[in-house]
Amino acid sequence: KLHVLFDGIEGKQSYEFDREQYFSLLADIYIAGKDIELTEEIIEDFKITCFEEYPKYRDIFLNYEGVEEEELLTREILRENESDLNRMWVRFNQLCKECKDIVTDFYITNGDGPGNIMLSKVKMYLVDWDDLKKAPLERDAWFHFHKKDDLGKFISVMKTKGIDFVPNNKLIDYYLYKRFFDDITDNLEVILNTDNIEKKRKANQDTIEDCFKWTFKLMLDDENERKT
């Protein structure tokens, strides 16, 4: 096991930061880490990490017959969106298979950059590298794909740094769908396995706000775009 000790960062976590500065920081990391050899388990393999858990938890809640308030709310959310969720789960499985055949460059990626920014008075830091993975740039870029200005800046900064990045829509979709299904699976597991009512409420709130009002909505938008 590797233990790493870092200096303390005198800064605050923030979602409000200069996007071009952030993209430039990412590019510097990509370039610096391009030739670093990593162990196989942290190289992207496009596997579904919730392959068994999501269907199991989903079915438990869809068939729930109890009286607990939070479990009933979870059941209502899933039943209300059942047909969309089933269709998206099939799509996610297909994306995993198709992405394995895509030939592209891999870089060291953070995977949750916009949520891992700390700002001091003079510097920006990208922290929380516990989910580091050598993967396509889309793993970091998907967050910005539905904000055209941000995506344009991402591509422009990469080009300025010597990285020729042309987004692949299937890879973007894979990481979007992965975020949704990983998040909702984690929340379902909390609701199912804890007796702490506050944790259950927090998990349901996260399901509503982070899953259905964010990534689920983006997946619906993606479907509509593919139909046009």
Side-chain angles (χ1 to χ4, degrees):
K1 181 181 290 186
L2 178 65
H3 296 273
V4 182
L5 182 64
F6 294 97
D7 292 334
I9 296 175
E10 293 186 4
K12 293 184 178 180
Q13 191 272 341
S14 177
Y15 292 99
E16 301 297 325
F17 52 85
D18 184 278
R19 290 302 190 260
E20 290 191 37
Q21 182 183 0
Y22 164 59
F23 297 150
S24 181
L25 176 60
L26 281 179
D28 289 342
I29 293 169
Y30 298 151
I31 293 167
K34 187 68 174 72
D35 297 321
I36 294 177
E37 295 294 330
L38 299 175
T39 56
E40 187 174 338
E41 59 265 25
I42 54 177
I43 297 176
E44 182 63 81
D45 56 10
F46 300 106
K47 289 182 179 178
I48 300 178
T49 52
C50 58
F51 184 77
E52 295 181 355
E53 289 82 0
Y54 170 71
K56 179 176 71 174
Y57 297 152
R58 174 200 62 197
D59 292 346
I60 288 173
F61 283 106
L62 285 174
N63 296 300
Y64 179 73
E65 297 295 341
V67 295
E68 298 296 329
E69 180 180 354
E70 294 304 317
E71 280 79 350
L72 288 172
L73 175 57
T74 305
R75 185 187 70 180
E76 179 184 348
I77 294 170
L78 293 178
R79 286 184 175 179
E80 183 178 317
N81 297 283
E82 185 174 2
S83 61
D84 287 334
L85 288 170
N86 289 343
R87 185 180 65 255
M88 290 169 175
W89 181 246
V90 171
R91 165 86 172 145
F92 183 35
N93 278 263
Q94 186 61 35
L95 282 168
C96 291
K97 296 176 182 177
E98 293 176 357
C99 286
K100 290 178 181 179
D101 296 327
I102 295 174
V103 178
T104 187
D105 290 330
F106 279 28
Y107 296 84
I108 289 178
T109 59
N110 182 279
D112 194 19
N116 291 334
I117 291 294
M118 291 187 68
L119 300 176
S120 71
K121 292 181 179 180
V122 296
K123 199 168 184 179
M124 174 186 290
Y125 299 90
L126 180 57
V127 299
D128 289 352
W129 287 87
D130 54 308
D131 197 27
L132 177 152
K133 194 176 286 289
K134 201 161 191 179
L137 293 189
E138 283 83 355
R139 185 170 186 255
D140 286 334
W142 78 264
F143 292 93
H144 314 285
F145 194 73
H146 296 82
K147 296 180 179 180
K148 299 305 182 183
D149 287 345
D150 284 356
L151 180 62
K153 290 177 183 177
F154 186 96
I155 295 171
S156 177
V157 170
M158 293 303 124
K159 186 174 182 180
T160 300
K161 295 281 187 172
I163 300 173
D164 188 17
F165 175 59
V166 179
N168 183 294
N169 288 338
K170 286 184 179 179
L171 290 171
I172 291 288
D173 286 352
Y174 166 79
Y175 288 111
L176 167 61
Y177 279 58
K178 177 177 172 57
R179 179 59 178 260
F180 173 83
F181 282 108
D182 282 352
D183 282 356
I184 196 171
T185 300
D186 288 345
N187 293 334
L188 295 178
E189 182 177 20
V190 169
I191 298 165
L192 184 66
N193 293 327
T194 184
D195 294 325
N196 186 307
I197 189 63
E198 291 304 319
K199 289 184 178 179
K200 289 178 185 282
R201 288 173 179 164
K202 174 67 164 54
N204 263 330
Q205 188 63 29
D206 287 346
T207 296
I208 293 169
E209 296 296 328
D210 295 339
C211 296
F212 283 95
K213 288 187 178 181
W214 179 36
T215 46
F216 182 79
K217 182 178 181 299
L218 291 178
M219 290 192 294
L220 288 177
D221 291 344
D222 171 67
E223 285 188 337
N224 291 331
E225 282 190 18
R226 283 188 282 111
K227 290 177 182 177
T228 57

